[in-house]
Amino acid sequence: MSHVAVSFETPEYVANADGTGTLRILEAVRLLGLTDKTRVYQASTSELYGKVQEIPQTEKTPFYPRSPYAVAKMYAYWITVNYREAYNMFACNGILFNHESPVRGETFVTRKITRAAAKIALGLQDKLYLGNLDAKRDWGHAKDYVRMMWMILQADEPEDWVIATGKTTSVRDFVKMAFGYLGVELRFEGEGIDEVGIIDSVDTKRLNELNLNPKSSNLNPGNIVVAVDPRYFRPTEVDLLIGDPTKAKEKLGWEPQYTLNELVDEMMASDLKLMKKDEYLKDGGYTIMNYFE
Ligand SMILES: Nc1nc2c(ncn2[C@@H]2O[C@H](COP(=O)(O)OP(=O)(O)O[C@H]3O[C@H](CO)[C@@H](O)[C@H](O)[C@@H]3O)[C@@H](O)[C@H]2O)c(=O)[nH]1
């Protein structure tokens, strides 16, 4: 269970799956006598930092979890450390900051944005509704992070590691980057729940390059394509995350290979391709499913 907002609706389930679930795996290794030949990677998270106590966040920054998900993950973190110390188990926490890709679940904010931007470009959707546009995240490419998971398990000693890019970007700026891929410049106006994203300009040459038809798309200057829906606000929010991956770089030689721009471009290209299938079906007279968070 990895969705922070959903964890407020299912707090007991997340404690069981993400907290006690980790204990069950560690116990299985111990009780089966597999400690000497097993290496355990615990998918820890930057959500542990929550209401951040230090900027940027390192392996030494104190935790302040802000959701049932993060509290359950806090148990998972410490039980992993405890089994390492108590039973000499090769058990590690990878404290991964947000990592994204074209196969990210559609209810996480990056994918929700790239899918919607692609649908708006194809005339299949009018508007994208989001929650907190000010939230800032340290977004990296999942491929870089999964490579690091593997490196953590090959290390000489079991340790805990921060995996991050060291850069932070707001949700609002991520939206601008996604529309930027389409040759569209957005401007934001208004405040709080009245804030909207309006199309400032459209580069028709870029639309042609992408084989998008300006007439059937919803990309027209003046169109409101982003609005705020308070249903997506969280009872307690994590406002700012930015990690310091110095330890991983220096001790394991990890270097991320993707920039955020490359990640956004890859996600946009993939979602345009995916949504073109919907366009094809719609043109053929079929009903297009609407996907909502
Ligand atoms: N999901 C979502 N988030 C929104 C929206 N509008 C604004 N946001 C804001 O966008 C930020 C990122 O939300 P998510 O993409 O849902 O990710 P997350 O809460 O940061 O958690 C992800 O990253 C953690 C760290 O790696 C993971 O531990 C966690 O499982 C998840 O993958 C949050 O501050 C959230 O409030 C929206 O419509 N939907």
Side-chain angles (χ1 to χ4, degrees):
M1 215 309 274
S2 66
H3 203 289
V4 175
V6 174
S7 80
F8 286 96
E9 288 153 31
T10 57
E12 195 177 339
Y13 174 80
V14 76
N16 192 3
D18 293 18
T20 318
T22 305
L23 172 66
R24 291 188 192 110
I25 289 171
L26 294 165
E27 270 294 81
V29 172
R30 186 179 75 86
L31 293 172
L32 293 171
L34 295 171
T35 305
D36 288 343
K37 41 182 171 176
T38 306
R39 294 189 170 203
V40 178
Y41 173 86
Q42 204 282 115
S44 190
T45 164
S46 52
E47 283 295 299
L48 296 185
Y49 300 118
K51 191 171 174 184
V52 298
Q53 303 295 296
E54 190 178 35
I55 296 171
Q57 294 87 51
T58 72
E59 290 81 2
K60 296 203 167 76
T61 304
F63 300 143
Y64 194 134
R66 292 269 279 175
S67 64
Y69 166 79
V71 174
K73 284 291 203 178
M74 183 110 166
Y75 177 85
Y77 177 93
W78 283 115
I79 200 68
T80 300
V81 172
N82 183 246
Y83 270 55
R84 180 167 76 218
E85 293 174 355
Y87 305 114
N88 211 16
M89 206 178 263
F90 196 107
C92 317
N93 289 293
I95 308 174
L96 268 58
F97 283 62
N98 300 50
H99 41 289
E100 318 292 316
S101 84
V103 293
R104 177 59 137 157
E106 66 205 49
T107 60
F108 295 89
V109 79
T110 55
R111 188 79 196 289
K112 183 173 169 185
I113 293 167
T114 57
R115 281 173 67 104
K119 286 185 96 175
I120 292 169
L122 291 163
L124 301 169
Q125 183 174 329
D126 300 330
K127 218 181 265 177
L128 161 65
Y129 289 94
L130 292 170
N132 181 8
L133 298 171
D134 290 318
K136 288 181 145 189
R137 288 291 181 276
D138 181 335
W139 280 297
H141 197 298
K143 276 191 184 169
D144 280 329
Y145 289 51
V146 172
R147 184 162 39 83
M148 184 57 192
M149 290 176 185
W150 180 83
M151 291 169 88
I152 287 172
L153 287 173
Q154 314 312 310
D156 293 338
E157 297 297 328
E159 290 183 58
D160 306 315
W161 307 86
V162 161
I163 311 302
T165 70
K167 297 194 184 89
T168 194
T169 306
S170 69
V171 170
R172 186 182 296 99
D173 284 342
F174 192 101
V175 175
K176 283 187 183 169
M177 289 169 81
F179 279 88
Y181 174 87
L182 301 165
V184 170
E185 217 168 295
L186 281 191
R187 71 172 188 278
F188 281 84
E189 285 182 6
E191 289 203 6
I193 58 168
D194 297 322
E195 184 169 355
V196 288
I198 305 167
I199 295 185
D200 224 11
S201 65
V202 182
D203 177 354
T204 41
K205 219 174 100 207
R206 177 66 177 154
L207 293 189
N208 287 334
E209 256 172 47
L210 295 168
N211 288 323
L212 291 167
N213 180 353
K215 285 203 189 102
S216 56
S217 96
N218 284 328
L219 300 176
N220 305 306
N223 279 10
I224 294 179
V225 286
V226 184
V228 174
D229 185 333
R231 273 184 309 165
Y232 298 118
F233 291 158
R234 296 174 180 180
T236 40
E237 174 66 295
V238 173
D239 296 317
L240 162 79
L241 291 174
I242 176 167
D244 176 356
T246 304
K247 179 180 166 186
K249 287 186 173 187
E250 287 182 356
K251 278 186 102 168
L252 294 180
W254 177 72
E255 275 301 331
Q257 286 165 5
Y258 289 85
T259 63
L260 181 57
N261 260 313
E262 287 165 343
L263 169 66
V264 174
D265 286 359
E266 191 184 322
M267 291 178 74
M268 280 303 301
S270 168
D271 277 334
L272 266 181
K273 207 166 152 197
L274 182 72
M275 295 309 169
K276 276 184 181 163
K277 282 190 208 157
D278 274 10
E279 186 192 36
Y280 185 73
L281 289 171
K282 192 178 167 206
D283 290 349
Y286 293 94
T287 306
I288 303 304
M289 296 285 287
N290 267 321
Y291 316 86
F292 295 107
E293 187 176 341

